[in-house]
Every structure is written in C-alpha cells, then in structure tokens.
Amino acid sequence: MNSYTTPREDRLDDGCDISDAQLLSKQSEHLAPPDQPSLTPGDGTSLTPAGLIPAEGTNVTPASGSSTSLSAGADQHFPTLGVCLGDDALALAKKEERINGQIKKRGHLVVALFERLSNNRSTVTLSVPDQSPMERFSKRHLNVTHLCEQSWCEIKVVYGFLKPHMKRREMRRTAVTTGASIHLARELEANPDAVTVVVHTKEDREALKLIKLIQMVPALESGQLVREFPVLGVLDGVFFLGVVDELYCSESGELVLSELKTRSHNSLPHPAQAKGHSLQVGVYKLLFDSMVQGSMKRDQLLHYLKLRPHQAFGSELQSYAQKLGLLAVTFGELVDHLLVVLNFSNLQPIDKLRLEYRHQSSGGLIGTREVEFEETQLRAELMGYLAFWRGEREPHGVDIEDIEEAWKCRMCPYEESCEWRRSRLQEVMVEGSKKAKLDGAKSETPNSSQRVPN
C-alpha cells in the first residue's frame, strides 16, 4: 500500500530559489519552538496523510468533525507564539510586567517566549550571554536546511526566530507557494495512491515517517526511484532531520541523490545561492550513509525527538501498519523494526550528488549540476556552522562591503530593522570619515622633497 507525503520538512532558499524537498516543514519551525511541552489535542484530533512527512508549518486538521486547526512548529505540537502584532504600547507593557514575574520560575524558556511576544520592537538582541541558540530557541535538533539558511546569512536565521510574523509573511510569497505546489505534484507522480490515517499523538505522527522509510528501503534496493526519503542521525553531536527529494540508481548502477530547486528566474543560481544547495545535498549524504552503515541508534532517536518508546499507536495507525505487514504496536517496537531493516539492507552509500533547477512558470529544465563530495572539507564547514548553534561564537551577517555578498540584503525582509546591517553601516561611515580626514591632512602637508627657491 502506497503512502503519500505532503509538503513537509524544511525549506526556504533565498534569491528566488525554493528548496522543494523540504519547504513546508520549514514554514513554521521558526514560528513555534518544537521542543516545548506538547499541546497536541486529544484523541482523534489530527488527520495526517499516511506516510506523508508533515510540513513543520502545515496546518493539522482535526478529526471528529472539529474545525479547529493548529499551526505547528517543527514537531507540530505548539501553537504559533507571534501574538503581539496588534498590541499597543500599553498592552505590551502589561504583558512584559506579567512575564517578568515568571522569568525567575521558568528560566530561558520564558525568555524565549518574551522575545516572541515582543517581536514588534525595532531592536532585538542577536545573541544572549551564557545561552546558546539551541537553548535560546528551544531546539533539541536541527533540520538540514537550517544550515542552508545559515550559509546565506546567520543574522537572518536569528531574526526568523525572533520575528515570526515576518517569517510567516515571507513563507506566503508566491515563489514559495508555487515551488511547494510543483514539488508536491512531482511527489504524487511517484506515489499516486494516497491513504489517510488519523493520528492522536506525536509518536503516531513520527511513526508515519518511519513507516515510510521502512517501505522505501526495499523499493530502493530493487532499483525503484523513491521521492521524499527521510534521513536522520547525529553529526558532530547534533541530531539532524532531513528529507531527500529523490534517490535512484543510474544505468551504471550508481546510487544518485537528486535535489530539485525551482526558480522564478529562468537562469542558474548565483554562486552564493548554490553554496547552500551544495551544502544541503552533502549533509544529506552524510546522514544517509551513516544510516545504511548502521550508525543510527535507538536511544538517540528517542532522546532528541522526545518520544515515548512504550506509547501505543492509535487504532487507525495500528490498522494501517498491520495492512503493511508491520506487527509493531508501540513506537519503540517500530524503531526496533526500522533498525533491523537498515542494518540488514544491501543499500550502499550514495555515489553521486545532483542538483536540478527548473523554471517555476514554465516547468522547463534550467539545468543540472553535479556536486563534488569532499567529506573532510564538508565536516570542517559543518563544525563552523554548529559552533554558532552551540554558542561558541557570535552570529555572522552579510559583509556589506563585499560586492559578492551585499546584494543579499536587498531581498531580505529584515533589511530595515537589521541591527547587524545598521552597525556595519555605521562602522563603514566612521572608517570612511577617518580616511577622508587622513587624506585631507596628507594633502595639506608640504612635500619635504620639494625644492624651495633661494
């Protein structure tokens, strides 16, 4: 029985590039922290297409006739916190006073909430002493496209968490929604039969991803093309989630990973954009290779995703699993089954990495690029990116004096309020003023070698 995957995991490429394989789940991971206490509705309240990896910004439609929906974060269980957009100064002041009374009790979780409630302020704190971004934004794991956004501008990543209302607005851009539609249509081509399963818990929802993975491994082993292949695992001490657009075997027997990108411009991307794309497929390969080589551990998956191994599946999910020949009735049993499937599969590491660019309006192929995989270099870059998330360094923004970088700011929704850009412009002005004064002083100084008439 085929299962179908909706738009899901992570994705927003800048400069009119849409990373289609992970777009929809990216939409809300900045809007609500994924690791806060669960506010998932009770039994029978969410309806999820089976096997479909729900996007982190996808609305979860309740079952049982309810019309309520949740706009969830990376784990789809926490309501959007950007609630102060219409508050006036007095109302905001009252909220701050009330929150201040709770900070001592709730620690950094309340601080993170306060920042989101105050997201209409013109000034934000880009970093907090003695608190890493992982702690500040309540992240127990990262999506691969967090790194892609980071390679574009780390300051934009921070603003995405601190100003969720602006992030939502950006995700509603036509280029984003069009890319998501193209991506979904392409997925359904490979998996036309769809079934729907009612899920009741976080474990139910995550189980659908693992069931999809269990189904895809033998399909890939038999030489079939698969799309929306989940990848997960630990890299340099951080747990990552991702979804590969496409995996297939070439005529020469090589395993190829292909990532689809749609563009509003009928041209290949600028090198600054392509940098994030190459990083994305490289990290996908690291995760996939570690999975098929037996590196995935049961305890890691349960710990980082905060899942309960003894949680029984809902009746609908149990029925669906049984139709597929899966006897697992708890999440822990399903994880054990997945590990057996991976450990005894004959899948080999990925041989080639490929980027495919298509025009959004016409759907025509713009071009393809082969990505060279240099593991040593990639892991060194990864350590640099993760140093930010661990709080080992300050976030870095765009170099406004570099012509190859400065243009990024023109398409950024946070340009007008960006503290990084403002401070760098001030520095440039001060340095320019100093240089002008120095040059002026030099021009007024007599040339010591000049002949003086007798």
Side-chain angles (χ1 to χ4, degrees), residues 176-242:
V176 177
T177 56
T178 301
S181 299
I182 293 173
H183 175 71
L184 180 58
R186 189 171 165 123
E187 180 185 356
L188 291 176
E189 289 177 2
N191 192 8
D193 299 327
V195 294
T196 299
V197 176
V198 176
V199 298
H200 303 285
T201 65
K202 179 180 177 181
E203 285 73 18
D204 280 3
R205 190 183 65 252
E206 297 302 320
L208 288 176
K209 301 178 185 180
L210 301 190
I211 290 174
K212 181 175 185 179
L213 182 53
I214 291 171
Q215 289 180 281
M216 285 186 168
V217 169
L220 194 55
E221 287 178 317
S222 65
Q224 298 181 42
L225 178 150
V226 298
R227 288 187 174 133
E228 308 302 306
F229 189 98
V231 289
L232 58 161
V234 176
L235 297 175
D236 199 18
V238 176
F239 193 83
F240 280 92
L241 294 173

Side-chain angles (χ1 to χ4, degrees), residues 112-128:
L113 175 61
F114 173 77
E115 289 173 339
R116 287 169 172 79
L117 292 176
S118 303
N119 58 34
N120 57 335
R121 286 182 165 184
S122 60
T123 302
V124 298
T125 303
L126 295 177
S127 62
V128 176

Side-chain angles (χ1 to χ4, degrees), residues 40 72 81 98 113 160 164 184 192 242 262 268 341 346 350 361 408 411 428:
T40 304
L81 296 178
R98 185 168 61 254
L113 175 61
L184 180 58
T262 64
L268 289 173
V341 169
N346 60 13
I350 291 168
S361 298
K408 294 179 181 179
M411 61 182 66
V428 170

Side-chain angles (χ1 to χ4, degrees), residues 291-310:
M291 288 169 60
V292 300
Q293 292 170 344
S295 298
M296 182 185 293
K297 305 301 180 184
R298 183 181 195 267
D299 292 344
Q300 290 176 340
L301 195 154
L302 297 174
H303 170 70
Y304 287 106
L305 298 182
K306 297 184 69 174
L307 299 172
R308 298 166 292 179
H310 303 297

Side-chain angles (χ1 to χ4, degrees), residues 17 53 96 226 375 392:
D17 272 349
I53 301 179
E96 292 179 4
V226 298
E375 183 171 354
E392 298 169 359

Side-chain angles (χ1 to χ4, degrees), residues 248-256 352:
Y248 63 90
C249 290
S250 66
E251 294 181 357
S252 59
E254 295 176 309
L255 183 58
V256 180
K352 285 188 176 182

Side-chain angles (χ1 to χ4, degrees), residues 257-274:
L257 182 155
S258 181
E259 180 74 10
L260 171 67
K261 305 287 181 182
T262 64
R263 290 179 54 77
S264 58
H265 298 296
N266 195 15
S267 61
L268 289 173
H270 186 278
Q273 297 164 312

